Amino acid sequence: MFGYVRPSAQRLSEADKRRFAAAYCGLCRTLGERCGLAARFILNYDFVFLTALLWPAEAPAPLCRGCIAHPLRARGYFPANEALALAADESVILAWWQLQDALADPGRGKGKYRAAAGALSGAYRRARANRPAFDRGVREQLERLHRLEEARCPSLDESADAFAKILALAAGETADPVKSRVLEQLLYHLGRWIYLVDAADDLAEDFASGSYNPLIFRFALAEGRLTEEARGSLVRTLDHSIRLMSAAYELWDFGDWSPMIQATLYEGLFLVGRSVLEGTFHADSAALPRCRKDKEQL
Amino acid sequence: MTDPYVVLNVSSTATDEEIKKAYRDLARKYHPDNYHDNPLADLAQEKMKEINAAYDAIQKERSGRASAASSSARQSYGGGYGGYQYQQRTAYAGAPAFRQVRMAINRNDLAMAEQLLGQIADHDGEWNFLKGTISYRRGWVDEARQYYATACQMDPGNPEYRQALNFVENGEEGYRPSGYNVFSTGCGEDNLCGRMMCTYLMCNLCSCGGMRFFYC
């Protein structure tokens, strides 16, 4: 997806950071094992978060081994389990359909998307065979989103609803009825939040290229940036979705993942959203010296 | 019954003060104000009942009777839980058509509520409030806020409309764990503005990680 969903590192203990890193590496390996090498390149933080939400009560302890990206230094990773497998398949399906959507968008260049789609086609076929219902749901919602885009839909909620429903579907089949309801609500608002943050992130580019962006039509923007009033409205609606995610989170015990989920919902999302609205998200993400320090601590 | 100390997440050797603090923290978390018109409000209500029962059980065990402290501690958090929405909805004495819409909303039959609302031609304050409530239950927060604002403009003295608008506009007033001071995407509410995001967030775990490989 997008890589916006990140915990606030300062709230995590060293053990929590190692656990997060082991899930990240475990998801990367699971992508490779289930869907092939190309699938490993779509990895991002959003699906580590999803993995944590779906984590089974009984899961094998982390192992330690080098990998293709880190051949010299062994790193801890969780061996494949049902949560990692589900997140791996779903991330491939989502990436595939987003690529198809990008290829259908007249406002964007096509070369890199064609190349990426070619590289990912085998992985997609495998993931689709594993999760046909999710594949169908994503396709339906993205088609709906495409129709809303063509109609230049001015409703933030309606356009965000399509992506929010995709994320709600990502919970898969959850046996416990309470956990199922908690995940559906949490993931719906996570999808809504991701969609709106991404719209804010892409606003200038979309305005310049003439591509659909719900913020342009909701706030009748005359240029590629938010007015103060529009920014205030967007902040309120983003904050409220985070609040609803947090309220849902508190109704289920996520065990060892609780500190990471808490650090994401009660701080990380606010900081990422703020960074996107300030236009510093990508520069901050590329600020390697400080991040390498974090990485070394893991 | 589940061990009441486990429910309150305290040791059985905790002091009365520690138990009261644990109870208050949990009650603050599951307070009805945090689950206003929330599709998971029933689950929060169950949590609240469990917490109240655990607190009462510990008080009883320690004092040999249901102490006055128990009821006074609970009054401020748990007393009105569960009755809150119910009282609001059933106390409504307006037009029968709107009453039917409210009943459909209370049953969480949002499609029916919307259909009934569509048959009402007069889009007054109540109509906008109920339209906002349906939007909110669906998670359509931006539209809910717009409808609530219109309802407040049409009927500024209505406390129910004002409460609903305040709830969607003031997200920072919700529960947050102790020590967490960032409570809005907007700048100016805390002291983290302008600092490097990567100082605070998990970034670049892997050389290929977190990359924006695809569009959306």
Side-chain angles (χ1 to χ4, degrees), chain B residues 73-212:
Chain B
R74 285 216 285 119
Q75 271 173 0
S76 40
Y77 290 104
Y81 201 92
Y84 177 76
Q85 286 186 22
Y86 182 75
Q87 285 166 6
Q88 293 275 353
R89 301 290 184 230
T90 52
Y92 179 72
F98 285 134
R99 200 175 308 140
Q100 285 187 341
V101 176
R102 282 177 176 252
M103 286 166 67
I105 292 172
N106 282 345
R107 291 195 307 272
N108 214 27
D109 187 352
L110 301 184
M112 174 58 73
E114 191 147 52
Q115 189 187 330
L116 291 168
L117 210 53
Q119 294 165 6
I120 299 172
D122 183 11
H123 294 186
D124 61 2
E126 179 69 8
W127 189 94
N128 277 281
F129 169 71
L130 293 176
K131 188 81 175 167
T133 304
I134 293 168
S135 298
Y136 186 80
R137 290 275 182 113
R138 288 201 167 116
W140 291 29
V141 179
D142 186 50
E143 291 194 4
R145 191 171 62 81
Q146 292 175 67
Y147 284 117
Y148 288 152
T150 305
C152 287
Q153 280 168 8
M154 290 180 156
D155 189 353
N158 187 305
E160 191 181 13
Y161 304 169
R162 176 57 55 188
Q163 185 193 29
L165 181 62
N166 286 344
F167 184 70
V168 291
E169 290 207 319
N170 300 317
E172 71 273 14
E173 289 176 4
Y175 167 81
R176 57 180 181 275
S178 159
Y180 278 85
N181 300 316
V182 181
F183 43 81
S184 176
T185 307
C187 246
E189 303 297 329
D190 50 59
N191 61 0
L192 293 179
C193 277
R195 296 193 196 174
M196 291 288 289
M197 184 187 73
C198 264
T199 309
Y200 295 95
L201 298 173
M202 295 289 277
C203 295
N204 295 297
L205 286 174
C206 171
S207 55
C208 58
M211 71 193 315
R212 222 177 128 87

Side-chain angles (χ1 to χ4, degrees), chain A residues 4 8-9 11 24 42 45 75 108 155 157 181 198 218 233 239-240 247 250 274 278 284-285 291 298, chain B residues 29-30 35 39 42 136 142-143 145 167 179 184-185 187 190 198 200 203-205 209 212 214-216:
Chain A
Y4 295 128
S8 180
R11 301 289 175 190
Y24 186 89
I42 65 169
Y45 297 99
R75 295 167 73 96
R108 291 173 185 270
S155 165
D157 293 316
R181 288 180 62 197
D198 191 56
R218 162 66 176 88
S233 277
D239 285 353
H240 205 81
E250 297 293 355
R274 182 178 299 179
E278 287 176 355
D284 286 353
S285 293
C291 299
L298 299 171
Chain B
K29 186 187 291 186
Y30 299 113
Y35 291 89
D42 59 313
Y136 186 80
D142 186 50
E143 291 194 4
R145 191 171 62 81
F167 184 70
S184 176
T185 307
C187 246
D190 50 59
C198 264
Y200 295 95
C203 295
N204 295 297
L205 286 174
R212 222 177 128 87
F214 293 123
Y215 146 79
C216 190

Side-chain angles (χ1 to χ4, degrees), chain A residues 64-235:
Chain A
C64 196
R65 215 171 72 187
C67 69
I68 193 165
H70 307 94
L72 300 178
R73 186 177 167 193
R75 295 167 73 96
Y77 70 96
F78 282 106
N81 61 42
E82 60 198 80
L84 287 166
L86 181 59
D89 291 340
E90 290 178 344
S91 60
V92 169
I93 290 169
L94 254 182
W96 171 263
W97 284 112
Q98 285 168 355
L99 278 172
Q100 300 309 308
D101 193 47
L103 285 167
D105 186 345
R108 291 173 185 270
K110 302 282 184 276
K112 64 177 179 178
Y113 300 121
R114 279 202 194 94
L120 205 62
S121 60
Y124 167 67
R125 281 196 298 275
R126 281 174 230 162
R128 182 183 59 188
N130 292 332
R131 315 282 170 189
F134 183 72
D135 178 63
R136 195 166 48 249
V138 171
R139 193 176 64 235
E140 286 169 4
Q141 291 302 330
L142 287 181
E143 283 169 1
R144 178 179 160 224
L145 187 55
H146 189 64
R147 289 194 295 276
L148 292 169
E149 288 174 358
E150 284 188 329
R152 296 301 196 235
C153 175
S155 165
L156 283 190
D157 293 316
E158 192 170 4
S159 48
D161 182 72
F163 194 77
K165 282 187 170 148
I166 289 174
L167 260 280
L169 283 172
E173 300 285 325
T174 307
D176 188 289
V178 172
K179 187 175 186 186
S180 176
R181 288 180 62 197
V182 165
L183 286 180
E184 188 181 344
Q185 170 81 347
L186 200 163
L187 288 168
Y188 179 91
H189 280 281
L190 184 66
R192 182 179 189 273
W193 180 87
I194 289 173
Y195 181 84
L196 294 178
V197 165
D198 191 56
D201 204 10
D202 287 348
L203 179 58
E205 188 188 338
D206 287 341
F207 191 89
S209 68
S211 297
Y212 172 76
N213 185 307
L215 299 174
I216 296 171
F217 296 94
R218 162 66 176 88
F219 299 114
L221 299 179
E223 52 187 330
R225 61 189 178 89
L226 293 167
T227 61
E228 276 306 304
E229 190 183 351
R231 184 188 167 100
S233 277
L234 182 60
V235 163

